[in-house]
Amino acid sequence: MNKTGRIFLILAAAWLIVLPVFAQQPPQILKVEPPNWWANHTINPVRMLVRGENLTNAQVVSKNVSLKISNVKINRLGDYLFFDVTIAKNAKVGKYEFEVSTDKGKTIVPFEISAPLDAKTNFQSITNDDVIYLIMPDRFADGDASNNKDADRQNPRAWHGGDFKGITSKIPYLKELGITAIWLTPWHDNTDDVTTCDKPWCPMTSYHGYGAIDYYGVENHFGTFAELREMIETAHRSGIKVIQDQVANHIGFKHPWAKNPPLENWFPPFKQNTFNNSVLLSPNASPAERNNSLKGWFDFSLPDLNQEEPEVARYEIQNTLWWIAMTGVGGIRQDTIQYMPRKFIRDWSTAIFKQYPKFWMVGEVFEDDSAHTAFFQGGKKGWDGIDTNLPSVFDFKLWRTSQEVFTGKKPMRALRDVLKYDGFYPNINNVTLLANNHDTDRFMSLTGATLEGAMLHTAFILSTRGIPQLYYGEEILMTGGHDPDNRKDFPGGFAGDKTDKSTKSGRTADEQKMFEWTQMWIKLRRDNQSIRTGRTTDLFYNNDAYIFERRGLFERIIIGINRSDKIIETTFESPDSYIKEVSEKTNLTSLVGNIEDAEFENEKIILKLPPKTIVAYKLR
Ligand SMILES: [Ca+2]
Ligand SMILES: [Ca+2]
Ligand SMILES: [Ca+2]
């Protein structure tokens, strides 16, 4: 016998001694996902994923006739158990049990059938009528010091203590501003551990929420599940919908799956995402290149999940439906959606619509390219034969261009040159147009930023097509460069803050001007259907001015922007013969600006645009 043979024999003998010790242990249950479900749900049977120990050869039995078990599957190591639960139509709300047994013993999997939330006050989908406001829960308001574990407001990458109770206390402020929906960055439970490394961004924490360790858990720093529901119900009572941020593409590295995945193919083969995103759009990309972006991990610390494994896809689709049913949210923002297979996006969207036919989801496709983002919006099949069914995507191209235009880096006509691609989108009015977000520098910290520029940028975002999305604090001119500087605490939300910018007395004159301006343009949009869902017609554009019409069913609104410090007087043809009616000036009103600055004669419009402002004229 050679050396290898002897080692093999010793190992085999050792295994024979150790194996019976393990096999003698009774089964144990550590985690049950989902912990509950609903009778008469479109997902029936529901697929269970149970993490435990000593589950090899386990039998699973339902102890109640209303719930039936089938398709039991146990992974190779005997620490994960999958099975279907078929729920009878008349299954009663309450607690249930499944018995898991091996020849070494038995244990119980707890389960529950829940009562559905009231559909009249919950699941109110986001529409073109909404204005969204993005909040980072850790950075907005601290309503409960008892959950501030290891909070350190001096460290921009530490937890700061913001929470659900804090947001609840600021609902009156949000209502005063006029927004109708809040999007919160993820509230999935993330690790409380501090990450250390030799990079400049360490030590860091998961205050941002993008590395889930429990897809069915709420972040303890933000509060309890009951406090989340209280926040959502308070928002709903004020006419404010809530959007949940979900991250199906990847998990945090402290998630139990990272060390011990339920199946061998739970993660795609480890390879760092190349972020060569154009291969996700191009029909000509080589499969190898596409796989590097689609199947590579988002980051070493954020393992991607393999949605091509049906158990992963099933788990994630159920998880989304569970959160909607449990919380009553009106929309979902799906993170880094382009790094998941388009077939999965389609199946995910389709399953949501089956249960909530009018639901709304927006996908983050962070690209400066209209054709690329449009490819991911649902409503039309792509070259791959897939219609993602996804209602909305963010318009990063128009956002960036607006920032560049209103900080003087590009001519005004650049806005029109982005909008000319609107036809690429299957549903342009359902595109989400961000004014800014938590991954980008705040407007007031951009080179060339001025108060007037910020005002024009905000007004443009709120008057053009799409669903506008604002970022917390821009309405009070908060500054901040690269992440995490752009995620500073909202002044006044935290104990010991010198001023409270959510009250008029806490704001400077400029901050108050910006607040009232934002408020006014939100109201203008809310009051006029043509701005929310009308058609855009370009009327005039040059280096410093852009004039366009938003035409709805009941009114037409002409919007004119002049970014220069001189009056711009321009005469242009009307888009059609309606100018004849207007020339009588009967039904013309000014929404913003002086009525005397607009003249109509001989089927022509003469507009005097005052410097550094935006005007709006309405024709009924
Ligand atoms: Ca707190
Ligand atoms: Ca946590
Ligand atoms: Ca992926």
Side-chain angles (χ1 to χ4, degrees):
M1 190 184 288
N2 62 19
K3 197 178 165 193
T4 317
R6 275 202 306 276
I7 291 170
F8 177 78
L9 256 193
I10 292 164
L11 284 176
W15 184 240
L16 279 176
I17 297 162
V18 171
L19 191 66
V21 178
F22 277 120
Q24 271 168 10
Q25 303 294 318
Q28 268 192 53
I29 303 304
L30 299 168
K31 179 84 174 162
V32 180
E33 301 175 284
N36 59 302
W37 206 252
W38 296 265
N40 302 302
H41 195 284
T42 52
I43 293 215
N44 190 25
V46 63
R47 185 84 174 146
M48 304 295 295
L49 173 57
V50 174
R51 182 160 52 88
E53 281 168 15
N54 312 310
L55 300 171
T56 304
N57 295 324
Q59 307 280 312
V60 190
V61 177
S62 170
K63 301 185 82 181
N64 188 299
V65 290
S66 294
L67 307 184
K68 288 203 164 57
I69 286 172
S70 59
N71 294 327
V72 177
K73 181 161 99 186
I74 298 159
N75 74 337
R76 197 174 54 83
L77 294 174
D79 47 13
Y80 284 97
L81 176 63
F82 297 86
F83 59 92
D84 282 355
V85 177
T86 304
I87 302 166
K89 276 197 167 76
N90 58 356
K92 288 201 176 71
V93 168
K95 292 191 190 317
Y96 290 79
E97 289 181 341
F98 307 124
E99 191 180 272
V100 175
S101 58
T102 66
D103 54 2
K104 301 297 176 227
K106 56 188 177 184
T107 186
I108 290 298
V109 172
F111 192 66
E112 217 169 311
I113 297 295
S114 302
L117 294 177
D118 185 356
K120 280 198 204 80
T121 53
N122 291 290
F123 325 119
Q124 305 304 314
S125 173
I126 307 301
T127 72
N128 306 112
D129 296 340
D130 286 307
V131 177
I132 301 168
Y133 186 87
L134 166 60
I135 290 172
M136 293 199 89
D138 185 55
R139 304 296 165 90
F140 195 59
D142 181 6
D144 179 4
S146 75
N147 55 26
N148 295 359
K149 184 171 180 263
D150 303 324
D152 175 10
R153 290 183 63 203
Q154 303 312 311
N155 177 356
R157 290 189 173 88
W159 298 91
H160 287 191
D163 49 36
F164 299 134
K165 273 191 172 171
I167 297 169
T168 306
S169 73
K170 295 289 182 195
I171 298 284
Y173 168 71
L174 300 173
K175 185 149 177 76
E176 187 195 358
L177 181 60
I179 58 94
T180 63
I182 47 175
W183 152 29
L184 270 55
T185 48
W187 60 62
H188 294 310
D189 192 16
N190 275 232
T191 181
D192 294 355
D193 294 352
V194 178
T195 304
T196 50
C197 67
D198 57 3
K199 299 286 191 313
W201 54 83
C202 280
M204 66 174 291
T205 68
S206 293
Y207 73 92
H208 48 73
Y210 287 98
I213 57 165
D214 181 358
Y215 273 131
Y216 283 91
V218 164
E219 174 51 51
N220 45 298
H221 287 86
F222 300 160
T224 62
F225 183 84
E227 286 160 0
L228 168 64
R229 268 294 294 161
E230 194 192 336
M231 179 202 76
I232 294 172
E233 287 197 317
T234 310
H236 285 174
R237 281 196 296 273
S238 295
I240 294 172
K241 302 163 191 172
V242 178
I243 299 167
Q244 182 187 12
D245 202 332
Q246 295 192 350
V247 193
N249 182 64
H250 52 265
I251 52 170
F253 76 110
K254 289 285 173 81
H255 192 295
W257 291 343
K259 269 195 188 147
N260 182 28
L263 296 172
E264 268 120 51
N265 63 347
W266 204 251
F267 302 117
F270 177 69
K271 199 168 213 182
Q272 169 74 45
N273 189 333
T274 51
F275 295 108
N276 182 12
N277 294 349
S278 70
V279 301
L280 301 173
L281 167 73
S282 172
N284 309 326
S286 82
E289 215 182 354
R290 187 172 298 122
N291 280 344
N292 281 351
S293 281
L294 201 59
K295 297 182 181 175
W297 285 16
F298 192 73
D299 186 81
F300 277 91
S301 66
L302 300 169
D304 266 45
L305 295 168
N306 176 18
Q307 291 86 12
E308 284 177 3
E309 161 56 49
E311 295 284 6
V312 172
R314 185 70 187 269
Y315 177 98
E316 297 202 300
I317 288 168
Q318 288 185 180
N319 184 249
T320 290
L321 286 162
W322 184 86
W323 277 109
I324 302 171
M326 288 295 288
T327 59
V329 292
I332 290 169
R333 181 259 184 191
Q334 185 61 259
D335 192 53
T336 55
I337 202 164
Q338 63 175 331
Y339 305 123
M340 296 191 283
R342 282 165 55 83
K343 186 180 164 300
F344 172 73
I345 304 173
R346 177 196 64 196
D347 294 349
W348 177 75
S349 302
T350 307
I352 296 171
F353 286 131
K354 209 172 159 197
Q355 180 71 18
Y356 306 99
K358 289 182 179 166
F359 210 75
W360 183 87
M361 301 87 81
V362 58
E364 182 207 22
V365 180
F366 204 145
E367 297 299 326
D368 268 9
D369 179 337
S370 304
H372 191 130
T373 45
F375 181 56
F376 286 87
Q377 190 186 32
K380 159 168 120 182
K381 279 184 184 165
W383 57 263
D384 54 2
I386 293 170
D387 175 347
T388 63
N389 274 339
L390 184 69
S392 187
V393 286
F394 290 103
D395 187 349
F396 285 99
K397 180 68 182 173
L398 190 57
W399 153 76
R400 195 183 292 282
T401 305
S402 177
Q403 280 196 337
E404 288 166 341
V405 161
F406 295 114
T407 51
K409 298 178 193 87
K410 274 190 177 167
M412 281 290 291
R413 67 171 74 239
L415 295 173
R416 176 263 171 200
D417 288 341
V418 175
L419 290 161
K420 74 183 178 189
Y421 295 116
D422 278 2
F424 285 174
Y425 289 95
N427 181 351
I428 191 63
N429 280 329
N430 220 353
V431 165
T432 305
L433 178 58
L434 60 153
N436 225 337
N437 75 20
H438 57 307
D439 291 322
T440 62
D441 295 0
R442 286 192 179 276
F443 189 94
M444 288 311 288
S445 290
L446 300 171
T447 316
T450 57
L451 170 62
E452 289 84 3
M455 290 169 74
L456 291 181
H457 172 67
T458 300
F460 173 68
I461 298 288
L462 286 165
S463 59
T464 189
R465 86 292 185 279
I467 303 172
Q469 175 251 300
L470 311 177
Y471 182 42
Y472 81 92
E474 303 262 297
E475 75 279 13
I476 50 146
L477 299 172
M478 276 179 76
T479 57
H482 298 349
D483 159 17
D485 195 42
N486 54 353
R487 302 167 172 187
K488 284 189 282 213
D489 302 339
F490 188 99
F494 296 76
D497 283 354
K498 286 190 199 86
T499 51
D500 182 358
K501 306 280 185 198
S502 69
T503 63
K504 190 177 173 182
S505 58
R507 296 191 278 262
T508 64
D510 277 358
E511 288 163 358
Q512 182 62 17
K513 196 172 173 187
M514 186 66 183
F515 179 83
E516 286 177 12
W517 177 262
T518 309
Q519 203 180 30
M520 177 184 78
W521 279 94
I522 292 174
K523 185 172 183 333
L524 209 120
R525 183 180 183 92
R526 299 269 302 145
D527 289 348
N528 293 285
Q529 178 265 332
S530 59
I531 297 187
R532 298 193 305 271
T533 56
R535 224 183 63 212
T536 303
T537 305
D538 295 332
L539 301 178
F540 177 85
Y541 42 92
N542 70 7
N543 284 349
D544 286 318
Y546 178 35
I547 304 172
F548 56 96
E549 181 199 62
R550 299 281 288 146
R551 182 184 304 195
L553 295 171
F554 313 108
E555 81 247 339
R556 292 148 172 178
I557 292 181
I558 293 174
I559 291 170
I561 315 173
N562 173 9
R563 73 168 185 189
S564 76
D565 50 14
K566 295 182 185 68
I567 294 174
I568 293 180
E569 187 168 327
T570 177
T571 303
F572 49 87
E573 301 279 339
S574 71
D576 58 27
S577 62
Y578 80 83
I579 276 312
K580 270 217 166 96
E581 316 154 29
V582 188
S583 62
E584 290 156 25
K585 282 207 171 188
T586 43
N587 292 316
L588 186 76
T589 49
S590 169
L591 301 172
V592 183
N594 190 342
I595 191 76
E596 303 305 322
D597 289 339
E599 278 180 43
F600 301 84
E601 58 183 40
N602 302 325
E603 303 193 7
K604 287 197 166 133
I605 305 173
I606 304 160
L607 265 194
K608 236 187 275 167
L609 297 177
K612 292 189 178 183
T613 197
I614 170 168
V615 296
Y617 298 106
K618 180 172 180 171
L619 169 73
R620 254 182 229 287

